[in-house]
Amino acid sequence: MKHGLLICLLAISVNQSLLAQSSAEKEVLQFESDACKAFVDADAAALERVLTDDFTLTLSNGDISTRANEIDELRSGKVRYDVFENYDMNARLYGDSTAVVLGKTRVNGTSEGKPFDRVMQFTDTLVKRDGRWQVAAGAVRKIAFHEIGSSRRNAGPASTLKPS
């Protein structure tokens, strides 16, 4: 009887832990989705809140973009996004304050008046500071047309996240 009670309590404890983990993963994935809004709205202040001060983004061509680069580009209006959408995301949590998110991003808009429409694969490293998530580092790579999920094939040719 004691063994049965112990197993039952252990199962409840593990189940609660899994639910908490799922809740934390959902929170991280929601943050990633919400962060896209800053680009579509051209909201530099929102982007400042989303990115850590030392944020870096490694682009497909190997170049590095900083927090300042991203914010300046958004403020300048050089690039305008009609669509900036993360999807097919998976989150991995490491403790309470670190997460890695893998997924795809579709972007559509104009760069210096020229239209673009592309899909990128991304990896983001997030940290939780003062109760809120921020992106500390990211990396993107081009996705070939055949790598885009069938529901996203209308996204057009892949290029770099930074419109050329």
Side-chain angles (χ1 to χ4, degrees):
M1 175 101 171
K2 287 183 182 180
H3 287 95
L5 180 60
L6 181 61
I7 291 172
C8 184
L9 290 173
L10 183 59
I12 290 170
S13 175
V14 169
N15 191 30
Q16 288 176 341
S17 175
L18 289 175
L19 288 175
Q21 184 177 12
S22 294
S23 174
E25 287 174 358
K26 287 178 185 177
E27 179 185 345
V28 165
L29 295 177
Q30 187 62 54
F31 164 83
E32 280 281 353
S33 294
D34 293 346
C36 296
K37 188 170 173 18
F39 289 96
V40 173
D41 293 346
D43 186 345
L47 192 58
E48 288 174 343
R49 289 188 300 273
V50 167
L51 305 177
T52 61
D53 290 341
D54 59 351
F55 168 81
T56 56
L57 175 66
T58 303
L59 305 172
S60 288
N61 64 4
D63 287 348
I64 303 291
S65 181
T66 66
R67 178 181 192 257
N69 298 139
E70 295 296 310
I71 292 167
D72 290 346
E73 184 176 79
L74 199 62
R75 276 194 180 121
S76 74
K78 174 183 167 185
V79 177
R80 299 190 55 82
Y81 295 96
D82 296 318
V83 175
F84 198 114
E85 174 189 37
N86 289 344
Y87 64 98
D88 287 350
M89 294 184 291
N90 291 307
R92 299 178 193 161
L93 274 72
Y94 300 93
D96 295 333
S97 61
T98 306
V100 174
V101 180
L102 302 123
K104 295 177 183 163
T105 301
R106 175 172 179 231
V107 291
N108 172 291
T110 57
S111 176
E112 297 179 342
K114 298 176 187 173
F116 62 88
D117 191 359
R118 55 190 63 108
V119 176
M120 304 295 296
Q121 182 174 8
F122 75 88
T123 302
D124 282 345
T125 302
L126 281 61
V127 293
K128 194 170 195 179
R129 293 181 176 161
D130 299 323
R132 66 184 173 97
W133 289 102
Q134 292 182 293
V135 184
V140 294
R141 79 165 184 94
K142 298 176 187 179
I143 296 181
F145 183 72
H146 70 275
E147 294 179 277
I148 300 170
S150 60
S151 65
R152 303 292 177 168
R153 286 222 168 106
N154 63 352
S159 183
T160 64
L161 184 58
K162 292 287 192 186
S164 48

